Amino acid sequence: MVRVAVYGASGYTGLELLRLLARHPEAEVTALVSRQEDRPSIAEVHPSLRGVLDGLCLESLSPDEVAERADFAFACLPHAASAETCAALLGRGLKVVDLSADYRLTDRAVYEQWYGVTHPDPERIGKTPYGLPELYRDAIRGASLVANPGCYPTSAILPLAPLLKAGLIAPAGIVVDSATGVSGGGRTPKPVFHFPEANESYMAYGVGTHRHMPEIDQVLGDACGADLEVVFTPHLAPMDRGILSTCYADPVGDASSEALTAALREAYADEPFVTVVDASPSTKHVAHTNRVQIFAKRVRGKAVVVCAIDNLIKGASGAAVQNFNLMQGYAETTALD
Amino acid sequence: MVRVAVYGASGYTGLELLRLLARHPEAEVTALVSRQEDRPSIAEVHPSLRGVLDGLCLESLSPDEVAERADFAFACLPHAASAETCAALLGRGLKVVDLSADYRLTDRAVYEQWYGVTHPDPERIGKTPYGLPELYRDAIRGASLVANPGCYPTSAILPLAPLLKAGLIAPAGIVVDSATGVSGGGRTPKPVFHFPEANESYMAYGVGTHRHMPEIDQVLGDACGADLEVVFTPHLAPMDRGILSTCYADPVGDASSEALTAALREAYADEPFVTVVDASPSTKHVAHTNRVQIFAKRVRGKAVVVCAIDNLIKGASGAAVQNFNLMQGYAETTALD
Amino acid sequence: MVRVAVYGASGYTGLELLRLLARHPEAEVTALVSRQEDRPSIAEVHPSLRGVLDGLCLESLSPDEVAERADFAFACLPHAASAETCAALLGRGLKVVDLSADYRLTDRAVYEQWYGVTHPDPERIGKTPYGLPELYRDAIRGASLVANPGCYPTSAILPLAPLLKAGLIAPAGIVVDSATGVSGGGRTPKPVFHFPEANESYMAYGVGTHRHMPEIDQVLGDACGADLEVVFTPHLAPMDRGILSTCYADPVGDASSEALTAALREAYADEPFVTVVDASPSTKHVAHTNRVQIFAKRVRGKAVVVCAIDNLIKGASGAAVQNFNLMQGYAETTALD
Amino acid sequence: MVRVAVYGASGYTGLELLRLLARHPEAEVTALVSRQEDRPSIAEVHPSLRGVLDGLCLESLSPDEVAERADFAFACLPHAASAETCAALLGRGLKVVDLSADYRLTDRAVYEQWYGVTHPDPERIGKTPYGLPELYRDAIRGASLVANPGCYPTSAILPLAPLLKAGLIAPAGIVVDSATGVSGGGRTPKPVFHFPEANESYMAYGVGTHRHMPEIDQVLGDACGADLEVVFTPHLAPMDRGILSTCYADPVGDASSEALTAALREAYADEPFVTVVDASPSTKHVAHTNRVQIFAKRVRGKAVVVCAIDNLIKGASGAAVQNFNLMQGYAETTALD
């Protein structure tokens, strides 16, 4: 049994993480760390945890206090704040999964350009494994710090990386057109997420400016050994959760639907959470699970590859638990099936 | 006052058409034609018309009977059945807006390949104006038959045609990624449109096989004088109505965001229903209206153009009334503002 | 043509009001009054008005300035602020429809108890007609100030008042169980209206404490000439708009389904917006209209009466225009059909 | 490990049951029984089970064949068909949880009147425990057949039974006003459940005719030892899942909010799945769980009691697993937390 601390438990990724950890036979949540001074119970913050985790409170704890209570930490914090916390915990011997963007990008300059802050832990950036087990399982296994991937990048990298590796699509000119449920925007009320604005509404946002774009570039570039720049357009769909990414790439030569599908099948043959399907998936088919469904088809001059995940599970907290399992040496699917 | 018959009033486009015609000062609906023999009142078929159009019944009428009662007809019928009806009515002196796909494609062979039927009125296919006033207003004005555009094509053609005409984007390699509300699938219950399947769900469908693909090809090709093939992927979003199309094209030369926007502004400066906007629009911003909002931006190596319409109004019944207004010589915006 | 000022145009009732007034042949909106100093255009505030009402700006205007520009005002303001504004405008010769609660309750003490403020215009409270034309048409016709009803009260009073008047149900023990769309909560983002909280969620709120409770008491009491106290429970449903109230009352004697229905039919025989229906209505059947659908049935020991309205139209801005039409002597249905 | 057969796995309760059983450490699903002759895999029928239960197929099996493969069966079948199947399986030594209505009512005449069929297993009706462990745990423990409760009855009985037992509310005049998500209507597409009809819609249905009404009567009557007749109105809300029942009863004497709450707290102090809460719950707070949240308040002359459950879990498949656990002697919460 490992003692676990969660930073930032009051958001949606925090909630999903607590639900998963409550079911995990090897994890005991011993600290919920927050800046709130009034120690609200977690069931006040998340009424869906009433009767489930009534005893736990959000507490304002120092890294020393956390180190006394926990061996492992999940950081669901804003960028910059997260790296600062991670550094403090790692220095006190904890292992950490960081759910922020702080350690995902390997190039400090790119990070500082897109996030507009000085990186608080420059030593570890570039040396931290990217927590997508399907691509970096071995590096994750031995790590004490893992950078949990962004939700959109997960949905774009998993369908495209094997095709790039197999040389079936060209690195140049890739388009990633994605739709997310509104929980992807976090739990803070804002006009764009106000129900009567977001409901019955579908919109593009952050056109050309979303911070997940360089993250996709980097990991896909790593997959094929070439620099590349994707064009990524996120959309907000009127639903709670789920991401569907429809990716368009220039096929190399005659790459057929069958060839695309076969390459994906081969890449994911042994993966516990990825299924290559014969019909276009829906976000609903993977909602509330850590599963991934991928579909590929050649359409005229393009390879079209569609990927569905749950943005809060495989796109955040489920991946975090998957990384936790690998880092701790548990069965990778524990608490996730 | 013109006497109007509506075929296929029991569907969603029929309902929207009746709502618009009920407000139209020059139109009097005198016949609702259907195969239903039991003459249901339209308010039974559409409970939202209770108290609005109580008096009208769906009737099984022959073309001769319709010709006695009406001067103008709207055909909201399945393809093939529609052309048959249109031919019969035109032969009896009525003017017709056909909301089916029967007269949209100009090449009979393409029609028969994509729709899998022999065209019932081969003489008129290829000679019927495509009912997008923003592109073909003059031809519509003098016509007795107009082919009302498909919903997706409207949302793809309006943002792309001016950029092709202006030579700012290349005809090759265009991607149209669209999301529609579920009313786009019609009023017949099917598993994919069953609420607990469609709600909280976002999915691609008809990948590479949707019949609106050749329609987009044709009209965009006409706009730029070159053959082209778009890659079109429709998606189903969990909302009643609206289409948002996010289009990706290769810019010619240095075409900037400003150049793209300026070309669109110029093309639509005098259009009553089209607005070029400075921020990405939402389907909600045009819901229940005949309006179009378009946004353009250069993102890395692509021109990204986003267009929002209401699939049932500008994508179907509003456009039909706009065409009716032009064909009859009324102010184009009558009953539509 | 009457010149119209709208206070509080940035909210949802303001938006609906502007949409209706834009279609009204006798009204010209000449002033949008707000505290915002930066004069945003209304199309910035409501992107759905782009191309529709581009020219108008929100302005911070004094009552004197408004009096120069307008003859009639609609006040969509918070309570207390509203009465203050109404008094200032009435003193300058304008006619006013007040959409706040300030003049609805006739007893100043009840108002001050439920709203927790001193009434800013005590002379007019108790002397202002309640703007439900179906009950108070004559008083509204001659008035210079009308108190526009609350959304829930409209949906509870219309189905119950005729049955109380006819002596078919008892005044004691009435239960009103209502569900509203989220636009009923206004346009200010709050946690309870955050999409991922409100979507896929149905909840009761304000149990026993909602301010519309005394308003229902008062008007129903007036209808039957007896003091009464209803038990009112509002619920939040995951939809944009609409109210459905399911009302339970003790029938007097043998009052059957037929008797209940007949009394409602008789009461509303000449009403342009009220339809008594034979099957339970849905909010969707009246959405985006000023219409009301009512259904009644005897179930065991209770009379069950169900009423559907659109909360923003018949429950707010449509009723306001209906009152405007009556006060100005226009046809009552102008701009509302 | 017990071998389990599921009848009717293609519906929503079947899907939820399979999800729960897949996680149950003591259950192995060995047969999915269906009339479909083409042996579809369960992952074709439920795409969300792709990768989860790929190996299982729906098979048309005789009771003898099922008896060879399974020790326990869950019947998710239409009424009448269900009892016939249950009788056949019980005769072959299996234990059964029946999720249909066939064994819930204890009076055969009432069953036959409300369901319009002759009961196929009259010997067992009236002798089968009602599967609500919170009320009938001991009887369930020893049973080989359990009648799983209706979804609405669960949401009405749990809040009301303790108050009736405690003498705090009167048996006469109880009103139960409930809203359900659309999955409650099953998986067969019908017009009322077609997305564009059900979305943005809230409606009452089955007013005074719903078959769960006599079920509520019976169990509440049993709780207080008096015959009673509730007035029950179900509503359809635009969401996938969840039931919220708002119940109105006449308090006995001065029964205060505190007294009502205390009686509920006492009744459910040791229950693993029931929480009495201080603020009105939302269906979302219990979605995807077997949990129940109850809130009580005295409002004027009525006791108002609100109860939220997930219609598919505590209202169907979760309760079935809870009963399974009791019948088999497992920890009651196995696979449910």
Side-chain angles (χ1 to χ4, degrees):
Chain A
M1 193 70 114
V2 63
R3 300 172 305 157
V4 171
V6 175
Y7 284 78
S10 60
Y12 291 133
T13 53
L15 172 59
E16 291 300 323
L17 189 58
L18 290 177
R19 281 184 181 146
L20 293 171
L21 292 174
R23 274 209 245 144
H24 199 295
E26 305 289 345
E28 184 190 9
V29 179
T30 53
L32 301 179
V33 192
S34 156
R35 290 192 193 143
Q36 291 182 263
E37 294 292 342
D38 53 345
R39 293 175 50 94
S41 90
I42 191 66
E44 279 173 73
V45 173
H46 294 299
S48 62
L49 296 179
R50 283 176 192 152
V52 179
L53 281 175
D54 288 306
L56 284 167
C57 290
L58 296 182
E59 298 175 84
S60 177
L61 299 172
S62 71
D64 282 334
E65 290 169 309
V66 172
E68 271 171 39
R69 283 211 223 160
D71 312 303
F72 199 105
F74 293 90
C76 310
L77 293 173
H79 62 87
S82 201
E84 215 169 317
T85 299
C86 292
L89 297 173
L90 289 161
R92 283 162 180 81
L94 282 83
K95 293 190 195 171
V96 182
V97 170
D98 178 24
L99 287 92
S100 87
D102 281 347
Y103 299 100
R104 295 178 197 159
L105 295 171
T106 53
D107 182 330
R108 182 179 165 182
V110 174
Y111 173 87
E112 297 189 347
Q113 175 199 338
W114 282 84
Y115 288 87
V117 292
T118 303
H119 197 286
D121 187 18
E123 280 180 42
R124 287 192 184 86
I125 189 171
K127 299 179 191 149
T128 302
Y130 188 79
L132 202 56
E134 292 77 7
L135 269 73
Y136 301 102
R137 185 169 283 114
D138 288 343
I140 295 164
R141 269 210 184 95
S144 56
L145 171 66
V146 167
N148 214 57
C151 50
Y152 285 124
T154 295
S155 74
I157 294 163
L158 288 175
L160 290 169
L163 303 180
L164 283 166
K165 282 187 187 175
L168 292 170
I169 58 172
I174 293 175
V175 167
V176 176
D177 189 290
S178 302
T180 187
V182 185
S183 63
R187 206 181 176 196
T188 305
K190 294 181 187 166
V192 73
F193 307 133
H194 189 50
F195 185 93
E197 303 290 320
N199 188 44
E200 282 292 296
S201 166
Y202 183 79
M203 67 180 296
Y205 71 97
V207 180
T209 63
H210 198 285
R211 287 162 169 171
H212 284 173
M213 199 153 63
E215 186 179 331
I216 301 172
D217 290 351
Q218 169 187 297
V219 183
L220 289 183
D222 190 36
C224 66
D227 279 357
L228 57 79
E229 285 199 327
V230 304
V231 170
F232 167 57
T233 313
H235 295 76
L236 196 64
M239 56 190 191
D240 277 357
R241 52 205 291 164
I243 288 181
L244 190 102
S245 287
T246 303
C247 309
Y248 303 88
D250 292 325
V252 172
D254 288 340
S256 64
S257 297
E258 292 68 30
L260 298 166
T261 304
L264 290 162
R265 286 242 157 85
E266 196 186 321
Y268 295 127
D270 297 327
E271 284 299 333
F273 296 116
V274 184
T275 308
V276 180
V277 295
D278 292 324
S280 183
S282 153
T283 57
K284 189 156 214 162
H285 298 162
V286 295
H288 300 278
T289 79
N290 199 50
R291 304 199 63 79
V292 182
Q293 295 193 3
I294 300 176
F295 168 74
K297 188 167 182 184
R298 170 78 179 252
V299 177
R300 295 176 157 185
K302 295 283 182 192
V304 182
V305 205
V306 182
C307 176
I309 62 167
D310 182 299
N311 62 310
L312 294 177
I313 310 283
K314 184 59 181 169
S317 302
V321 171
Q322 194 178 351
N323 287 319
F324 167 72
N325 288 337
L326 287 168
M327 293 161 78
Q328 291 291 112
Y330 308 140
E332 189 172 340
T333 60
T334 309
L336 294 172
D337 49 8
Chain B
M1 192 69 113
V2 64
R3 300 171 306 157
V4 171
V6 175
Y7 284 78
S10 59
Y12 292 131
T13 54
L15 172 59
E16 290 302 322
L17 189 57
L18 291 176
R19 280 183 182 148
L20 293 171
L21 292 173
R23 276 209 244 144
H24 198 295
E26 305 289 346
E28 183 189 10
V29 179
T30 55
L32 301 179
V33 193
S34 155
R35 289 191 194 146
Q36 291 182 261
E37 293 293 342
D38 54 344
R39 293 176 49 94
S41 91
I42 191 66
E44 281 172 72
V45 173
H46 293 300
S48 62
L49 296 178
R50 285 175 191 154
V52 180
L53 281 174
D54 288 307
L56 285 167
C57 290
L58 296 183
E59 298 176 85
S60 176
L61 299 172
S62 71
D64 282 335
E65 289 170 309
V66 172
E68 273 171 37
R69 284 211 223 159
D71 312 304
F72 198 106
F74 293 91
C76 310
L77 294 173
H79 62 86
S82 202
E84 215 169 315
T85 298
C86 292
L89 297 173
L90 290 160
R92 283 162 180 83
L94 282 83
K95 291 190 196 170
V96 183
V97 171
D98 179 24
L99 286 91
S100 86
D102 281 347
Y103 300 100
R104 294 177 196 159
L105 294 171
T106 53
D107 183 330
R108 182 179 164 182
V110 174
Y111 173 87
E112 297 190 346
Q113 176 199 336
W114 282 85
Y115 287 87
V117 292
T118 304
H119 197 285
D121 188 17
E123 280 179 43
R124 287 189 184 86
I125 187 172
K127 299 177 190 150
T128 302
Y130 188 78
L132 201 56
E134 291 77 7
L135 270 74
Y136 302 102
R137 185 170 281 113
D138 289 344
I140 295 164
R141 269 209 184 94
S144 55
L145 171 66
V146 167
N148 214 58
C151 51
Y152 285 123
T154 296
S155 74
I157 294 162
L158 288 174
L160 290 169
L163 303 180
L164 284 166
K165 282 186 187 174
L168 291 171
I169 58 172
I174 293 174
V175 167
V176 176
D177 189 290
S178 301
T180 187
V182 185
S183 64
R187 206 182 176 197
T188 304
K190 292 181 188 168
V192 72
F193 307 132
H194 189 51
F195 186 92
E197 303 289 321
N199 189 45
E200 283 290 297
S201 165
Y202 183 78
M203 66 181 295
Y205 71 97
V207 179
T209 63
H210 199 285
R211 287 160 168 173
H212 285 173
M213 199 153 63
E215 187 179 333
I216 301 170
D217 290 350
Q218 170 188 297
V219 184
L220 289 184
D222 191 36
C224 66
D227 280 355
L228 58 78
E229 286 199 326
V230 304
V231 170
F232 167 57
T233 312
H235 296 75
L236 197 64
M239 56 191 191
D240 277 358
R241 51 207 292 164
I243 288 181
L244 189 102
S245 287
T246 303
C247 309
Y248 303 88
D250 291 324
V252 172
D254 287 341
S256 64
S257 296
E258 292 68 30
L260 298 167
T261 304
L264 290 163
R265 287 241 156 85
E266 195 186 323
Y268 295 128
D270 298 327
E271 285 300 332
F273 296 117
V274 185
T275 309
V276 180
V277 295
D278 291 324
S280 183
S282 154
T283 57
K284 189 156 215 163
H285 298 161
V286 295
H288 300 278
T289 80
N290 199 49
R291 304 198 63 79
V292 182
Q293 295 194 0
I294 299 176
F295 168 74
K297 186 167 182 185
R298 171 77 178 253
V299 176
R300 297 177 156 187
K302 297 281 181 190
V304 182
V305 204
V306 182
C307 176
I309 63 167
D310 181 300
N311 61 311
L312 295 177
I313 310 283
K314 183 59 180 170
S317 302
V321 171
Q322 195 178 351
N323 287 320
F324 167 73
N325 288 338
L326 287 168
M327 292 162 79
Q328 292 290 112
Y330 307 139
E332 190 172 338
T333 60
T334 310
L336 293 172
D337 50 6
Chain C
M1 193 69 112
V2 64
R3 300 173 305 158
V4 171
V6 175
Y7 284 78
S10 59
Y12 292 132
T13 53
L15 172 59
E16 291 301 322
L17 189 57
L18 290 177
R19 280 184 182 147
L20 294 171
L21 292 173
R23 276 208 244 144
H24 199 295
E26 306 288 347
E28 184 190 9
V29 179
T30 55
L32 302 180
V33 193
S34 156
R35 289 190 194 148
Q36 293 182 259
E37 293 292 343
D38 53 345
R39 292 176 49 94
S41 90
I42 190 67
E44 279 173 73
V45 173
H46 293 300
S48 63
L49 296 178
R50 284 176 191 155
V52 180
L53 282 175
D54 289 306
L56 285 168
C57 290
L58 297 183
E59 299 175 83
S60 176
L61 300 171
S62 71
D64 282 335
E65 290 169 309
V66 172
E68 273 171 39
R69 285 210 222 160
D71 314 303
F72 198 104
F74 293 90
C76 310
L77 294 173
H79 62 87
S82 202
E84 214 168 317
T85 299
C86 292
L89 297 173
L90 290 160
R92 283 162 179 83
L94 282 83
K95 292 189 195 171
V96 183
V97 171
D98 178 25
L99 285 92
S100 86
D102 281 346
Y103 299 100
R104 295 177 195 158
L105 295 172
T106 53
D107 183 330
R108 181 180 166 180
V110 174
Y111 173 87
E112 298 190 343
Q113 175 200 337
W114 281 84
Y115 288 87
V117 291
T118 304
H119 198 286
D121 187 18
E123 279 181 43
R124 289 190 184 87
I125 189 171
K127 297 177 190 150
T128 302
Y130 188 79
L132 200 57
E134 292 77 6
L135 269 74
Y136 302 102
R137 185 170 281 113
D138 289 343
I140 296 164
R141 269 211 183 92
S144 56
L145 171 67
V146 167
N148 215 57
C151 51
Y152 285 123
T154 295
S155 74
I157 294 162
L158 288 175
L160 290 169
L163 304 180
L164 283 165
K165 282 187 189 177
L168 291 170
I169 57 172
I174 293 174
V175 167
V176 176
D177 189 290
S178 302
T180 188
V182 184
S183 64
R187 206 181 176 198
T188 304
K190 293 182 189 167
V192 71
F193 307 134
H194 190 49
F195 185 93
E197 303 290 319
N199 188 45
E200 282 291 298
S201 165
Y202 183 79
M203 66 181 295
Y205 70 97
V207 180
T209 62
H210 199 286
R211 286 160 168 172
H212 285 172
M213 199 153 64
E215 187 179 332
I216 301 171
D217 290 350
Q218 170 187 298
V219 184
L220 289 183
D222 190 37
C224 67
D227 280 355
L228 57 79
E229 285 199 325
V230 305
V231 170
F232 167 57
T233 313
H235 296 75
L236 196 64
M239 56 190 191
D240 276 358
R241 50 208 291 165
I243 288 180
L244 190 102
S245 287
T246 302
C247 309
Y248 302 88
D250 292 325
V252 172
D254 288 340
S256 63
S257 296
E258 293 69 29
L260 299 166
T261 303
L264 289 162
R265 287 241 156 84
E266 197 186 322
Y268 295 127
D270 298 327
E271 284 300 332
F273 295 116
V274 185
T275 310
V276 181
V277 294
D278 292 325
S280 183
S282 153
T283 56
K284 189 155 214 161
H285 298 162
V286 295
H288 299 277
T289 80
N290 199 49
R291 304 199 63 81
V292 182
Q293 295 194 2
I294 300 175
F295 169 73
K297 187 167 180 183
R298 170 78 179 253
V299 177
R300 296 177 159 186
K302 295 283 181 190
V304 181
V305 205
V306 182
C307 177
I309 63 168
D310 182 299
N311 61 311
L312 294 177
I313 310 282
K314 183 58 180 171
S317 302
V321 170
Q322 195 178 351
N323 287 319
F324 167 72
N325 287 336
L326 287 168
M327 292 161 79
Q328 292 290 112
Y330 308 140
E332 188 172 339
T333 60
T334 309
L336 293 172
D337 49 7
Chain D
M1 193 70 115
V2 63
R3 299 172 306 156
V4 170
V6 174
Y7 284 78
S10 59
Y12 292 132
T13 53
L15 173 58
E16 291 301 323
L17 189 57
L18 290 177
R19 281 184 181 145
L20 294 171
L21 292 174
R23 274 210 246 143
H24 199 295
E26 305 289 346
E28 183 190 12
V29 179
T30 54
L32 301 178
V33 193
S34 156
R35 289 190 194 148
Q36 291 182 262
E37 293 292 342
D38 54 344
R39 292 176 50 95
S41 89
I42 190 67
E44 280 173 72
V45 173
H46 293 300
S48 63
L49 296 179
R50 284 176 192 153
V52 180
L53 281 175
D54 289 305
L56 284 168
C57 290
L58 296 182
E59 298 175 83
S60 177
L61 299 172
S62 70
D64 282 333
E65 289 171 309
V66 172
E68 272 171 39
R69 285 210 223 160
D71 313 304
F72 199 105
F74 293 90
C76 310
L77 294 173
H79 61 87
S82 202
E84 214 169 316
T85 298
C86 292
L89 296 174
L90 291 160
R92 283 162 181 82
L94 282 84
K95 292 189 193 172
V96 183
V97 170
D98 179 24
L99 286 91
S100 87
D102 281 347
Y103 299 100
R104 295 176 195 159
L105 295 171
T106 52
D107 182 329
R108 180 178 167 183
V110 174
Y111 173 88
E112 297 189 346
Q113 176 199 337
W114 281 84
Y115 288 86
V117 291
T118 304
H119 198 285
D121 187 18
E123 279 180 43
R124 287 191 185 86
I125 189 171
K127 297 177 192 149
T128 302
Y130 188 79
L132 202 56
E134 291 77 9
L135 270 74
Y136 301 102
R137 185 169 281 116
D138 290 343
I140 295 164
R141 271 211 181 95
S144 55
L145 172 67
V146 166
N148 214 58
C151 51
Y152 285 123
T154 296
S155 74
I157 294 163
L158 288 175
L160 290 168
L163 303 180
L164 283 165
K165 281 188 189 176
L168 291 170
I169 58 172
I174 292 174
V175 167
V176 176
D177 189 290
S178 302
T180 188
V182 184
S183 63
R187 206 182 174 196
T188 304
K190 293 182 188 167
V192 72
F193 307 132
H194 189 50
F195 185 93
E197 303 289 320
N199 188 45
E200 281 291 297
S201 166
Y202 183 79
M203 66 181 295
Y205 71 97
V207 180
T209 63
H210 199 286
R211 287 162 169 170
H212 285 173
M213 198 152 65
E215 187 179 331
I216 301 171
D217 291 351
Q218 169 188 298
V219 183
L220 289 183
D222 190 36
C224 67
D227 279 355
L228 57 80
E229 286 199 326
V230 304
V231 170
F232 167 58
T233 313
H235 296 76
L236 197 64
M239 57 190 189
D240 277 357
R241 52 207 293 164
I243 289 181
L244 190 102
S245 286
T246 303
C247 309
Y248 303 88
D250 291 324
V252 172
D254 288 340
S256 64
S257 297
E258 292 69 29
L260 299 166
T261 303
L264 289 162
R265 287 242 157 84
E266 195 186 322
Y268 295 128
D270 298 327
E271 284 299 332
F273 295 115
V274 185
T275 309
V276 180
V277 294
D278 291 324
S280 184
S282 154
T283 57
K284 190 156 213 160
H285 298 163
V286 294
H288 300 278
T289 79
N290 199 50
R291 304 199 61 81
V292 182
Q293 295 194 2
I294 300 175
F295 168 73
K297 187 169 181 181
R298 171 77 179 252
V299 177
R300 294 175 159 187
K302 296 282 182 192
V304 181
V305 203
V306 182
C307 176
I309 62 167
D310 181 299
N311 61 310
L312 294 178
I313 310 281
K314 183 59 180 170
S317 302
V321 171
Q322 195 179 352
N323 287 319
F324 167 72
N325 288 338
L326 287 167
M327 292 162 79
Q328 292 290 112
Y330 308 139
E332 190 171 340
T333 60
T334 309
L336 294 171
D337 49 7

